[in-house]
Amino acid sequence: QREMKLFLNSVMCRLFGHKYTLKRNITPYLREVKCERCGKEFGMNDETKSVLPLDNELKKLHSVLLNGT
C-alpha cells in the first residue's frame, strides 16, 4: 500500500509538477525545498531561475555558503 501511494504521488508530480515547501533559506536567492507529495528535495536559485536535485555535492556547497566552512 505504501509503495502504491508513493507511485501515485510520483505520477501526480510528473503530471502536475511538484508541490514545494521550504526547508531552509541559504541566501536571499538560494533555498532548499522539498516536495510534499513525492518527498524529493531540490535546490532553487532565483537568480538563474534553476531547480536542481539536492544531492550531497549541492548540500555541501550550501553548507559552505551558510557556515563559511
Side-chain angles (χ1 to χ4, degrees):
Q1 177 145 349
R2 184 172 185 265
E3 291 82 19
M4 183 59 129
K5 183 178 180 182
L6 288 173
F7 172 75
L8 291 175
N9 284 338
S10 171
V11 170
M12 292 285 289
C13 288
R14 287 188 198 129
L15 291 174
F16 304 111
H18 294 287
K19 188 174 180 183
Y20 298 117
T21 56
L22 179 66
K23 282 183 55 184
R24 67 179 177 165
N25 285 311
I26 308 302
T27 68
Y29 57 88
L30 260 180
R31 61 191 176 277
E32 292 179 358
V33 295
K34 183 175 184 175
C35 178
E36 287 182 13
R37 282 193 283 253
C38 69
K40 291 183 180 177
E41 298 177 325
F42 302 91
M44 296 180 113
N45 185 324
D46 294 336
E47 287 188 340
T48 60
K49 299 183 187 328
S50 59
V51 178
L52 299 171
L54 190 59
D55 60 8
N56 287 335
E57 187 176 349
L58 191 55
K59 285 180 182 179
K60 186 176 178 181
L61 175 62
H62 287 175
S63 177
V64 168
L65 290 171
L66 278 172
N67 304 320
T69 58

